[in-house]
Amino acid sequence: MTPDRRAMRQPFLDAWQKFQQHLPLTPIELAVSDIIREHPEYHALFADPERALSQDWPPEHGETNPFLHLGLHLSIREMAQIDQPHGFKAAYLQRCERHGDRLAAEHAMMDCLAESLWQAQRRGAEPDGAALLDCLNNF
């Protein structure tokens, strides 16, 4: 495991541990712990930090990386909060209304966001906000 991967996963574990211990949380830790709380299927993983830090979830095995999944939730919520790209908040609220709950709406939006990030990485450029909104509006 690379130090970068460990460094990216550790804040999720720290936020969950602080939440479990009823310690004060920063705003980002509160957001992260809320998302983890909403995903009980990951609670056993977060109870075993060393496994969480070292385990791989290769997509070719049909496994979802919990940290990627939780990070996409966090990104979607932040993007909706700041309406970036412009129009994202409206798309988010429409999805929430259509699905009846924000978690289901976020799950429905993840493929578009992941595709947008993947395309940006392939191009070596910033994510295309217009393409993301098109995906969300046509999905």
Side-chain angles (χ1 to χ4, degrees), residues 95-106:
R95 286 288 172 117
C96 289
E97 188 174 315
R98 184 181 321 152
H99 289 278
D101 99 13
R102 80 175 177 172
L103 200 63
E106 291 164 7

Side-chain angles (χ1 to χ4, degrees), residues 38-113:
E38 294 168 342
H39 287 79
E41 68 272 24
Y42 298 145
H43 291 180
L45 175 68
F46 278 82
D48 186 354
E50 201 48 51
R51 180 174 74 111
L53 290 169
S54 63
Q55 186 168 338
D56 286 323
W57 291 274
E60 59 270 15
H61 293 153
E63 298 179 280
T64 299
N65 180 326
F67 293 96
L68 174 60
H69 182 84
L70 299 170
L72 289 171
H73 276 290
L74 190 62
S75 295
I76 289 168
R77 290 179 187 184
E78 180 71 15
M79 292 167 72
Q81 183 178 17
I82 64 171
D83 194 28
Q84 188 62 25
H86 181 68
F88 190 90
K89 183 176 186 173
Y92 177 77
L93 293 173
Q94 288 171 347
R95 286 288 172 117
C96 289
E97 188 174 315
R98 184 181 321 152
H99 289 278
D101 99 13
R102 80 175 177 172
L103 200 63
E106 291 164 7
H107 286 147
M109 298 173 81
M110 280 187 184
D111 285 342
C112 289
L113 179 56

Side-chain angles (χ1 to χ4, degrees), residues 3-24:
D4 289 343
R5 184 170 76 176
R6 186 178 195 97
M8 293 191 68
R9 291 179 177 184
Q10 191 64 54
F12 287 86
L13 294 162
D14 293 344
W16 186 243
Q17 182 179 37
K18 285 175 72 174
F19 173 80
Q20 294 283 294
Q21 295 173 353
H22 305 286
L23 296 173

